Amino acid sequence: SPDEDIKTRLRKQELTIRKIDEIVELYAGTDTGLELLSTNMFGKFDVQRLREQYLKELITFNLKTCESTPSFTCLGFVSLDNGAKACESPTEFSQFLTASNNFHNAYRIFKSQGDAKKNELGVLSSYRQCANRASNNFARDFINSRLVNILLENGDESKAVGITQNMTTRLFK
């Protein structure tokens, strides 16, 4: 609800996205899981729109906070924002490369500051959103291969294996 404070909205959005990701992970073979995987929709509920709104609010809030209280973590949000902008309307492969490098940089910064778990959803959602905007399998698989590296660093092998199995470009498998 727009009347709630930003932190409450972000927490609710984060919880919703985590639950959706859990459904996809645990029930990918069911009708619900397949619908979420293939369309990013469940009924009229648009998961892609939720991720976009979450990322926009997360980045905007943190960048605004950084204006008054700068920290090294702020650089992570600057990288996340740069990556999101590079992947807004990608027309060239170099935009995917730039976005991916920025997402990875954001994750490295968050991890170095001990904020990896706290901010990982923003990074993971950025990768997923960018992959969904890819116009071809090569670009999608490239972004997903970079996401797999982050998942492996995080110890999340089952998601990494699942994403790899769904890739069609042999180079990235």
Side-chain angles (χ1 to χ4, degrees):
S1 157
D3 297 333
E4 294 175 318
D5 71 281
I6 185 75
K7 286 184 177 182
T8 302
R9 264 198 327 273
L10 285 170
R11 263 193 312 275
K12 287 181 177 181
Q13 290 169 340
E14 185 173 320
L15 178 65
T16 304
I17 291 169
R18 287 191 189 279
K19 289 296 180 186
I20 289 166
D21 289 347
E22 185 179 330
I23 290 168
V24 169
E25 185 178 336
L26 296 174
Y27 305 103
T30 66
D31 289 342
T32 302
L34 290 170
E35 183 177 355
L36 285 167
L37 276 170
S38 61
T39 66
N40 268 318
M41 300 278 291
F42 183 70
K44 293 184 179 185
F45 185 74
D46 187 344
V47 178
Q48 184 71 12
R49 197 176 110 239
L50 173 66
R51 282 188 200 280
E52 287 172 7
Q53 181 181 345
Y54 168 73
L55 286 170
K56 181 180 176 188
E57 288 187 1
L58 177 73
I59 292 169
T60 301
F61 171 73
N62 281 288
L63 290 178
K64 205 171 276 188
T65 302
C66 288
E67 289 175 10
S68 59
T69 4
S71 69
F72 194 62
T73 300
C74 293
L75 295 175
F77 284 104
V78 169
S79 281
L80 204 57
D81 187 41
N82 288 340
K85 287 176 181 171
C87 206
E88 276 178 358
S89 301
T91 55
E92 299 175 8
F93 182 76
S94 63
Q95 291 170 292
F96 289 107
L97 182 60
T98 299
S100 175
N101 287 340
N102 275 284
F103 299 150
H104 189 255
N105 188 53
Y107 180 76
R108 283 193 338 239
I109 291 169
F110 295 145
K111 189 173 182 177
S112 74
Q113 297 302 298
D115 293 332
K117 284 292 181 198
K118 178 182 170 191
N119 294 310
E120 75 177 351
L121 185 62
V123 174
L124 299 178
S125 290
S126 295
Y127 271 110
R128 288 186 177 121
Q129 185 176 322
C130 193
N132 287 335
R133 289 185 174 147
S135 61
N136 60 58
N137 288 335
F138 183 84
R140 185 177 304 105
D141 289 349
F142 170 77
I143 290 290
N144 281 331
S145 72
R146 303 293 294 268
L147 170 57
V148 164
N149 291 335
I150 298 290
L151 292 170
L152 290 173
E153 280 183 44
N154 244 3
D156 203 344
E157 283 186 36
S158 64
K159 282 184 189 171
V161 168
I163 290 172
T164 304
Q165 287 174 340
N166 286 321
M167 290 181 185
T168 57
T169 309
R170 289 187 181 270
L171 176 66
F172 300 118
K173 282 192 161 203

